[in-house]
Amino acid sequence: MRYDDSSPPPESDAPVSPDRPWFARRSTLIVTAAALAPACLAGWVLTQVVAGSGHHGQDAKPGTAAATGPRAAASASPSGSPSTPAKPGAPAKLTGRTVVIDPGHNTGNFKHTSEIDKQVDIGTADKECDTTGTTTNSGYMEAEFTLDVSQRLRTVLEAQGAKVVLTHEADRPWGPCIDERARIGNAAGADAVVSVHADGVSAGSRGFHIILPAKVKQGAADTAAIVEPSRRLGERIAGNFARTTGSAPANYLGSGTGLVVRDDLGGLNLSTRPKVFIECGNMRDAKDAAQLTSPEWRQKAAQGIADGIVGFLGG
């Protein structure tokens, strides 16, 4: 699009010959039992001594007993170490993490062209506050798409325990401006920021791409600290997005990598947090547009982006 900142085995006895009389068999069993009793008693005493010492000299916890025999072997991992069962109520992967999602543009921008044309400082230059974004040939707005995917993305991330902040939810007449979008991510102390977009180029140009910040140090812009983590974030999202949606990296830029570096986007230049833009597809291509207008595909897109964020944050 066009934008600024776009149990044990059974026991068995040895077989007994049926030719032997019953009393002989009984006598044999009694003698055998008498011979074994002292050994069993000694074994029992030894077991109690060992168990009382606890594992590696530590006291055993009250109400617990060491697992021995076949059952213990069955609960061991292949390496021989006791396996650790999953703990109920384990914390979600992103607990304690903050993610800012920036839905590109605003459906009201078309009615507020004078406001969004206002120039703002992006460090390297002055640029429009925002743009209208693009549409499909049938009129489905990029701003509608970006908000829908962003809200779906928020739901997925919150289920993983993340705190999610959206820069807007079309709850304002227009904007926010690109510099304000960057400030929202910075103020939130976001662990990751993703700006959601869709492209608007010629038909035949298909696929997604991730825009990464260039190294910029000029005026209010200084991206040196975020270039490397932003690239890792972008790479994670690109791989997961492709796998989940079935989409290919863009065929018209990025040399098939799905990654593009730019220094002219205020949303990246002014960010102090790891941040990327994702162009989910080309709204002006009929095949891409068919995906972008599908709620089912948009859910896959949200999942793909979320999986990338989880991977980046080490979840």
Side-chain angles (χ1 to χ4, degrees), residues 139-162:
Y140 179 58
M141 298 171 63
E142 180 187 357
E144 294 177 86
F145 169 82
T146 63
L147 182 57
D148 182 83
V149 171
S150 295
Q151 290 172 332
R152 293 171 185 269
L153 176 54
R154 174 175 60 190
T155 299
V156 177
L157 292 172
E158 287 181 340
Q160 293 288 344

Side-chain angles (χ1 to χ4, degrees), residues 131-226:
T131 62
T132 60
T134 188
T135 67
T136 64
N137 293 334
S138 63
Y140 179 58
M141 298 171 63
E142 180 187 357
E144 294 177 86
F145 169 82
T146 63
L147 182 57
D148 182 83
V149 171
S150 295
Q151 290 172 332
R152 293 171 185 269
L153 176 54
R154 174 175 60 190
T155 299
V156 177
L157 292 172
E158 287 181 340
Q160 293 288 344
K163 173 185 177 181
V164 181
V165 176
L166 266 62
T167 58
H168 77 96
E169 294 194 69
D171 49 355
R172 51 189 294 167
W174 53 274
C177 293
I178 55 180
D179 55 343
E180 183 181 353
R181 292 172 186 262
R183 287 197 297 270
I184 292 171
N186 297 344
D191 296 292
V193 186
V194 177
S195 189
V196 181
H197 289 268
D199 216 344
V201 294
S202 61
S205 297
R206 298 196 60 196
F208 73 92
H209 65 277
I210 314 292
I211 304 176
L212 313 175
K215 188 172 183 179
V216 173
K217 184 173 178 58
Q218 186 175 334
D222 186 355
T223 63
I226 69 166

Side-chain angles (χ1 to χ4, degrees), residues 218-243:
Q218 186 175 334
D222 186 355
T223 63
I226 69 166
V227 168
E228 189 275 333
S230 296
R231 173 169 286 275
R232 289 191 285 108
L233 172 61
E235 290 172 344
R236 287 284 191 168
I237 292 176
N240 283 278
F241 190 86
R243 185 183 69 251

Side-chain angles (χ1 to χ4, degrees), residues 121-125 186 216-223 269-272:
D121 178 18
I122 67 168
T124 56
N186 297 344
V216 173
K217 184 173 178 58
Q218 186 175 334
D222 186 355
T223 63
N269 286 0
L270 300 176
S271 180
T272 61

